């Protein structure tokens, strides 16, 4: 029992010594680290972030590029058909074929017309024989009349018969001219160099004049037809050059005519543009006409990266004001965005004087923050969003 009491006292004394030693060890390092923290706070107070500062100047207007969808139309587009009824004897072309001016496309069977012409020629010969007989009779009557053996009535009758015969001959000659015209137009020729867009006639078909035989589209001198608002049309002039996007290619088109009639459905004015480049176009193909429209309103152009979200869906820009020691103080200004492109915005809401704004990395700054002007090398880092 005596041994147990001594052991207990020993552990109590040893525990008190260990406790005081532990307190001493904890208090001494805290006193040593206090100067280190103070030095760090001092260094932090002297550090300022770099900012990409740019100067923006006011502008009195800005240009808006509008795109309007039109279509390619051929300058020469026609439907061919025969002028009279007949039986198709031969068709020489088909859809998609390229034809030259004057090329034979199809023709009628003209056998019946030739027979009719022969019959008319025979009739004319008959009238001419009657006319010869009338001439001989009239000559005899005139001789007898000089001797007093014939009356004036007989002469008048022969003169009238002569006129009738001549009129019949003239009528039959007109019939021959009509037959010859039909024979000459029994062949259908291309009026201009074109491509056959469609063929609706076949060999052996009994053709009627109200049918279309071929549809032809000229392969040159294409135009673009597009409808634009009245306000835009009033700012354009004939001969003006516009940009046209076709088949992902940017072409140039010249305004040929500006319509004077408002379309009843779209309420637009039609423009006709001639394409300067020679390329492969298709009738009815969609084309995009780009028109720049100037808006007279004072404002500023600045990069999209200079805009930041404001309250209630508004936009802010961070302006900077110079302070001592070449430092800058940030202030937020609410602006209104009027127009944007892929990389820039036109804004209003600032006084019409030059301003210095933060152009990039605005998510890293807050109003009333003090920053320094970044060097050109640092601007590249700021624009990429890296932390300085």
């Amino acid at each position: 029992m005596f041994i147990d009491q001594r052991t207990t006292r020993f552990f109590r004394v040893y525990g008190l010594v260990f406790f005081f030693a532990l307190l001493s060890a904890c208090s001494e390092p805290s006193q040593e680290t206090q100067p280190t923290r103070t030095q760090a706070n001092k260094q932090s107070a002297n550090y300022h972030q770099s900012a990409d500062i740019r100067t923006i100047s006011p502008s009195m207007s800005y240009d808006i590029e509008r795109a309007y969808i039109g279509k390619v139309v051929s300058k020469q587009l026609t439907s061919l058909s025969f002028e009279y009824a007949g039986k198709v004897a031969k068709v020489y072309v088909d859809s998609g074929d390229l034809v030259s001016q004057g090329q034979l496309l199809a023709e009628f069977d003209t056998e019946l017309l030739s027979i009719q012409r022969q019959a008319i020629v025979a009739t004319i010969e008959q009238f001419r024989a009657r006319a010869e007989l009338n001439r001989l009779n009239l000559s005899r009557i005139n001789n007898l009349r000089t001797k007093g053996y014939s009356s004036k009535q007989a002469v008048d009758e022969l003169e009238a018969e002569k006129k009738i015969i001549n009129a019949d001959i003239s009528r039959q000659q007109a019939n021959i001219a009509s037959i010859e015209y039909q024979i000459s137009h029994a062949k259908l020729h291309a009026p201009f160099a074109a491509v056959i867009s469609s063929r609706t006639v076949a060999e052996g078909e009994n053709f009627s004049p109200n049918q279309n035989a071929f549809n032809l589209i000229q392969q040159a001198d294409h135009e673009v037809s597009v409808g634009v608002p009245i306000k835009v049309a009033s700012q354009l002039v004939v001969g003006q050059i516009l940009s046209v996007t076709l088949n992902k290619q940017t072409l140039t088109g010249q305004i040929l005519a500006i319509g004077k009639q408002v379309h009843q459905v779209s309420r637009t004015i039609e423009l006709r543009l001639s394409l300067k480049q020679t390329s492969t176009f298709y009738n009815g193909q969609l084309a995009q006409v780009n028109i720049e429209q100037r808006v007279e309103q004072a404002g500023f152009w600045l990069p999209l990266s200079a805009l930041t979200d404001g309250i209630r869906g508004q936009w802010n820009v961070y302006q900077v004001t110079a302070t001592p020691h070449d430092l800058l103080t940030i202030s937020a200004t609410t602006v209104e965005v009027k127009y944007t492109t892929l990389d820039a915005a036109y804004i209003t809401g600032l006084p019409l004087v030059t301003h210095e704004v933060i152009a990039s990395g605005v998510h890293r700054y807050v109003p009333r923050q003090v920053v320094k002007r970044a060097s050109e090398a640092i601007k590249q880092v700021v624009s990429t969003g890296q932390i300085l």
Side-chain angles (χ1 to χ4, degrees):
M1 180 177 179
F2 178 76
I3 296 175
D4 294 337
Q5 292 179 352
R6 293 181 61 182
T7 303
T8 303
R9 291 177 182 176
F10 174 77
F11 280 111
R12 287 180 180 176
V13 174
Y14 182 78
L16 290 174
V17 173
F18 180 76
F19 175 73
F20 285 114
L22 183 61
L23 289 178
S24 176
C26 293
S27 60
E28 289 177 359
S30 63
Q31 295 177 357
E32 293 177 357
T33 58
Q34 185 174 359
T36 305
R37 292 183 179 178
T38 304
Q39 184 180 2
N41 292 335
K42 184 177 180 180
Q43 292 178 354
S44 177
N46 294 331
Y47 174 76
H48 299 285
Q49 285 185 300
S50 299
D52 180 8
I53 309 299
R54 297 187 190 179
T55 302
I56 58 175
S57 301
S59 177
M60 295 296 105
S61 64
Y62 63 97
D63 294 329
I64 298 177
E65 186 174 283
R66 301 294 189 187
Y68 301 94
I69 301 301
K71 63 179 181 179
V72 177
V73 294
S74 177
K75 193 173 181 179
Q76 293 287 347
L77 175 65
T78 185
S79 298
L80 293 182
S81 63
F82 290 97
E83 297 184 23
Y84 58 92
K87 184 178 181 180
V88 180
K90 190 69 176 177
V91 177
Y92 298 99
V93 294
D94 204 346
S95 299
D97 291 345
L98 293 173
V99 297
S100 57
Q101 184 177 5
Q103 182 176 338
L104 180 61
L105 307 180
E107 61 180 339
F108 272 169
D109 184 357
T110 59
E111 182 179 0
L112 180 60
L113 293 175
S114 299
I115 295 174
Q116 292 176 353
R117 185 181 184 282
Q118 292 177 1
I120 295 173
V121 169
T123 303
I124 291 176
E125 293 298 326
Q126 179 181 354
F127 284 128
R128 285 177 177 172
R130 290 178 56 185
E132 179 64 19
L133 178 61
N134 176 269
R135 185 186 65 79
L136 295 175
N137 291 334
L138 188 59
S139 177
R140 295 189 189 98
I141 291 297
N142 287 329
N143 290 334
L144 292 175
R145 185 181 177 187
T146 56
K147 297 177 181 180
Y149 296 109
S150 176
S151 63
K152 187 176 181 302
Q153 179 181 358
V155 175
D156 292 339
E157 290 177 354
L158 290 175
E159 289 289 347
E161 183 182 9
K162 177 182 177 181
K163 293 179 180 179
I164 293 173
I165 293 172
N166 290 335
D168 288 336
I169 292 175
S170 298
R171 184 177 67 254
Q172 296 303 324
Q173 288 176 342
N175 290 336
I176 286 182
S178 176
I179 295 296
E180 290 177 346
Y181 177 85
Q182 293 184 39
I183 292 175
S184 64
H185 285 73
K187 296 181 178 181
L188 200 59
H189 298 270
F192 48 81
V195 61
I196 306 295
S197 63
S198 63
R199 186 201 75 173
T200 57
V201 64
E203 295 182 2
E205 177 183 359
N206 290 321
F207 193 85
S208 59
N210 59 351
Q211 290 180 252
N212 286 335
F214 301 97
N215 288 321
L216 274 68
I217 300 176
Q218 192 178 33
Q219 288 298 96
D221 299 330
H222 285 84
E223 298 178 356
V224 173
S225 175
V226 62
V228 299
I230 299 175
K231 185 177 180 180
V232 176
S234 63
Q235 299 177 355
L236 302 175
V237 294
V238 175
Q240 184 174 343
I241 302 299
L242 299 178
S243 172
V244 180
T245 303
L246 190 63
N247 288 338
K248 298 182 179 180
Q249 297 179 353
T250 301
L251 311 176
T252 56
Q254 185 177 16
I255 298 179
L256 295 177
I258 302 175
K260 300 300 181 182
Q261 178 67 37
V262 178
H263 194 277
Q264 295 182 355
V265 178
S266 63
R267 310 305 299 172
T268 57
I269 301 296
E270 183 185 11
L271 300 182
R272 288 177 46 232
L273 294 88
S274 64
L275 296 175
K276 296 298 183 182
Q277 291 81 356
T278 57
S279 182
T280 301
F281 304 113
Y282 300 93
N283 190 61
Q285 183 179 1
L286 294 181
Q288 177 180 301
V289 180
N290 305 308
I291 302 177
E292 285 191 356
Q293 182 181 358
R294 174 152 294 184
V295 179
E296 300 294 338
Q297 186 173 24
F300 297 84
W301 281 107
L302 49 74
L304 286 178
S305 57
L307 294 173
T308 183
D309 295 336
I311 60 174
R312 298 179 182 177
Q314 295 178 321
W315 293 102
N316 289 346
V317 295
Y318 284 164
Q319 294 181 260
V320 294
T321 305
T323 63
H325 308 293
D326 294 332
L327 298 178
L328 304 166
T329 302
I330 298 176
S331 61
T333 304
T334 300
V335 296
E336 183 179 356
V337 178
K338 293 296 184 181
Y339 179 68
T340 61
T341 62
L342 292 177
D343 55 1
Y346 192 83
I347 61 146
T348 60
L350 297 177
L352 298 180
V353 295
T354 57
H355 298 275
E356 287 190 327
V357 298
I358 298 179
S360 60
V362 291
H363 61 283
R364 303 190 302 109
Y365 309 100
V366 294
R368 291 183 292 184
Q369 180 181 353
V370 178
V371 295
K372 61 182 179 181
R373 192 181 303 271
S375 62
E376 292 299 326
I378 297 178
K379 286 181 181 180
Q380 300 295 330
V381 180
V382 174
S383 63
T384 58
Q386 300 180 15
I387 299 178
L388 297 177

